[in-house]
Amino acid sequence: MSGPTGHTVPEPSSGPSGTLVLAGAPLPLTVPARIYSCGITPYDVTHLGHASAFVWTDVLRQVIRLTGIDAVLTRNVTDVDDVLTRAAAERGRSYDEFGLIQEYWFDRDMAALHVRPPTHAPHARHHVEHVVRLASALLATGAAYERDGHVFFRGAHLPDTVGLSRDEALALSTEYGDRPDDPLRDDPFDVAVWQRSGPGDPAWPSPWGPGRPGWHAECAAMALATLGGVVDVLTGGADLAFPHHVYQAAMVEAATGAAPFARRQVHVGTVCLDGAKMAKSTGNLVLVGDLLRDAPGAAVRLMLLDRRWDQAWEYRPGALADATALLEELYGAGGTPGTSEAAVERVRAALLGDLDVPSAVRIAVESGGDAARLLIRTLALH
Ligand code: ZN
């Protein structure tokens, strides 16, 4: 084919096709698809709740590739955070040294769960200058104000935009460290883009004095720096929906003027234990490392995936043995010689249809052959 300038233009590849349905609606994608996945604050070991969000994001990326489109994934590391600074200080370490050690353990758990490394793994401490730029842009548009060495983003309108009552939103803002009771702010829902550092806090120079970034602003800046002002999918655990993702998106939109920041949001269902959310703060945890002593990573992975991605669920002892048995069934099916094109198409359609892994697994087990092999490869269960 000859282009307007006489150069040879390659034919479009006739690779796989199909449109992804995600979170209930078709999501037409261009090349490359851009995914921002909210990563860890590296201050403790990986639990099943974290692992679930990262495994599902990995599957989303592979399912997008089934359509022939490459997916660029940013998964950040929140290594500037007061929770991390405190945890490090309790152990007599600096925040960055302690964070790197925790990150090593996290990477090891992810590798054991067959989660492929992200395209970009930005660290908050390497993007402080970008947060300063973001704060300056938000001040220039009037979306933020400076007060006493802090820069606050105006968020009074945000609970309404996601259908939360003021009381519900206040409880969540408090739980996630936004300090809505801080009297310096014009409104309880204003959050720090930049915060003045006290003794013991990490600090960087800024036009407003020495300080450090706020959590939501870090993710906003790291998304802008690695993917630009719009992402196709924003992913994370369901507990990140508010306040974190709402503020991250609102800051980017206010700074760039382009909306929405995230074309689609994927909030992976909460993992519970004994009726309560699995969380570091409560110690109500099942650790990935403990499960990996009893079963291969592929079995833990399948246990996380054999459900709807947005469904909250309760971990029970025995779930891992069930997943291990199902994995054996899948391997058996993958060892049969079948090459049914129709079955392969049904597996693809189930995965592209809002990541319906349970249906895809059933089809693969029943049909065997190429259909099972496609599923095993796409879900990285080998
Ligand atoms: Zn984030």
Side-chain angles (χ1 to χ4, degrees):
M1 192 192 294
S2 195
T5 55
H7 294 295
T8 302
V9 179
E11 294 287 345
S13 70
S14 54
S17 58
T19 299
L20 174 70
V21 171
L22 192 61
L27 181 65
L29 293 167
T30 53
V31 179
R34 299 148 298 179
I35 307 172
Y36 189 92
S37 167
C38 269
I40 53 159
T41 301
Y43 76 100
D44 208 342
V45 284
T46 316
H47 65 73
L48 213 48
H50 288 135
S52 177
F54 299 125
V55 165
W56 273 110
T57 299
D58 187 53
V59 166
L60 169 66
R61 188 182 185 191
Q62 297 310 312
V63 169
I64 287 173
R65 285 179 173 163
L66 277 185
T67 68
I69 290 175
D70 191 27
V72 173
L73 169 66
T74 292
R75 189 181 72 213
N76 69 287
V77 179
T78 307
D79 60 355
V80 179
D81 189 282
D82 291 353
V83 176
L84 169 61
T85 307
R86 278 196 298 273
E90 281 164 16
R91 292 160 179 84
R93 292 183 185 273
S94 70
Y95 79 96
D96 46 355
E97 178 198 1
F98 180 65
L100 278 174
I101 294 166
Q102 298 302 315
E103 203 185 321
Y104 167 79
W105 294 116
F106 170 75
D107 286 343
R108 206 185 60 153
D109 283 342
M110 289 300 103
L113 293 176
H114 306 184
V115 172
R116 282 144 285 207
T119 321
H120 305 290
H123 288 63
R125 71 195 151 92
H126 297 150
H127 287 274
V128 174
E129 191 189 326
H130 294 138
V131 176
V132 170
R133 297 265 178 194
L134 174 66
S136 299
L138 293 172
L139 286 168
T141 63
Y145 54 94
E146 194 247 327
R147 186 146 308 151
D148 205 9
H150 305 263
V151 175
F152 293 117
F153 179 71
R154 298 186 192 280
H157 60 295
L158 289 177
D160 251 5
T161 62
V162 285
L164 285 174
S165 74
R166 241 180 128 73
D167 283 349
E168 289 166 331
L170 268 181
L172 289 168
S173 294
T174 305
E175 183 181 347
Y176 290 98
D178 278 347
R179 303 185 53 206
D181 58 345
D182 175 9
L184 271 180
R185 304 166 196 215
D186 285 350
D187 185 278
F189 293 108
D190 296 348
V191 300
V193 180
W194 185 258
Q195 44 197 345
R196 195 182 61 200
S197 286
D201 292 322
W204 287 263
S206 84
W208 318 286
R212 63 203 189 283
W215 175 34
H216 313 312
E218 289 174 334
C219 273
M222 287 187 276
L224 282 163
T226 56
L227 298 174
V230 176
V231 300
D232 295 296
V233 191
L234 176 61
T235 74
D239 56 352
L240 292 180
F242 187 90
H244 186 54
H245 282 169
V246 167
Y247 280 90
Q248 177 188 4
M251 285 180 193
V252 175
E253 289 165 7
T256 64
F261 158 65
R263 295 177 63 212
R264 205 60 50 84
Q265 300 205 9
V266 162
H267 291 128
V268 175
T270 304
V271 185
C272 299
L273 179 67
D274 301 328
K277 182 178 90 173
M278 219 173 261
K280 282 177 186 172
S281 50
T282 55
N284 188 42
L285 299 177
V286 173
L287 303 183
V288 169
D290 289 343
L291 295 181
L292 289 170
R293 275 196 279 277
D294 298 330
V300 178
R301 197 171 158 100
L302 185 56
M303 177 182 75
L304 295 171
L305 293 172
D306 192 19
R307 63 192 72 258
R308 275 195 57 87
W309 57 264
D310 57 355
Q311 180 185 52
W313 60 285
E314 169 90 17
Y315 170 80
R316 54 175 178 77
L320 191 54
D322 292 348
T324 306
L326 182 57
L327 186 65
E328 289 301 324
E329 270 190 83
L330 261 177
Y331 286 165
T336 60
T339 55
S340 161
E341 200 45 52
V344 167
E345 206 34 60
R346 286 173 66 214
V347 166
R348 275 171 49 86
L351 293 174
L352 288 170
D354 227 341
L355 313 180
D356 184 356
V357 171
S359 295
V361 168
R362 304 299 169 263
I363 297 162
V365 167
E366 282 164 21
S367 309
D370 282 352
R373 289 189 284 275
L374 172 70
L375 182 84
I376 290 167
R377 197 165 62 241
T378 307
L379 299 186
L381 295 173
H382 38 277

